[in-house]
Amino acid sequence: MSPHRLAIATAAAAVVLPALLSAAPGAAAKPLPVPSPGPAHHLTVTISDTGNAADGRTYDLYCHPTGGSHPSPEAACAEVSKKTVWGADPFAPVPKGAACTKIYGGPATGHVEGRWSGRPVNADFSRADGCEIGRWNKFAKLLGTPRN
């Protein structure tokens, strides 16, 4: 570095550095608040009409930290987390007018409610046609696989 550029850099540092160090204490970077883990990631899942009384159930799932009465909470939390994309509803219904195969997957129904990523969830699931079966299968670890 030339002596002239060195002198300019030194002068700039002499002006900027004290200004940065004398910033108001309140101007210092503050850590972001940590979201509350329970309410932000809690789902209640109800499965019914499976044709097998042993398959009908209701359970709670807590994620971040993992817990609840779900039979596989780690797998279900990982599945829902993987399906979560910023700005999109992972539990969104099949779009109106979607072309769906007329395959019937059985009478099983599911309902998921609670909060995920701090947003309310109120979603119904069925196996009435190919689109609904695909949507159910997208959350197979959360909803389970009916035996019908």
Side-chain angles (χ1 to χ4, degrees):
M1 183 179 279
S2 72
H4 178 67
R5 285 188 180 176
L6 182 59
I8 291 173
T10 303
V15 172
V16 173
L17 188 58
L20 290 174
L21 293 175
S22 67
K30 294 181 183 177
L32 294 173
V34 176
S36 174
H41 298 94
H42 170 236
L43 300 173
T44 300
V45 180
T46 303
I47 306 300
S48 57
D49 301 324
T50 63
N52 184 340
D55 288 342
R57 61 202 174 275
T58 297
Y59 46 79
D60 287 304
L61 176 68
Y62 293 91
C63 301
H64 314 295
T66 304
S69 57
H70 190 282
S72 301
E74 293 85 7
C77 288
E79 178 180 68
V80 178
S81 291
K82 188 174 182 180
K83 306 289 190 251
T84 303
V85 177
W86 180 257
D89 179 3
F91 301 99
V94 173
K96 298 255 189 249
C100 302
T101 60
K102 298 298 178 192
I103 298 171
Y104 180 65
T109 60
H111 182 74
V112 179
E113 64 182 312
R115 294 189 74 73
W116 185 261
S117 294
R119 301 179 75 183
V121 174
N122 187 4
D124 292 308
F125 292 83
S126 76
R127 299 179 61 80
D129 61 32
C131 292
E132 292 295 341
I133 293 169
R135 186 168 167 255
W136 184 295
N137 291 345
K138 175 182 170 183
F139 292 104
K141 289 179 174 52
L142 176 68
L143 300 171
T145 304
R147 291 183 257 173
N148 49 346

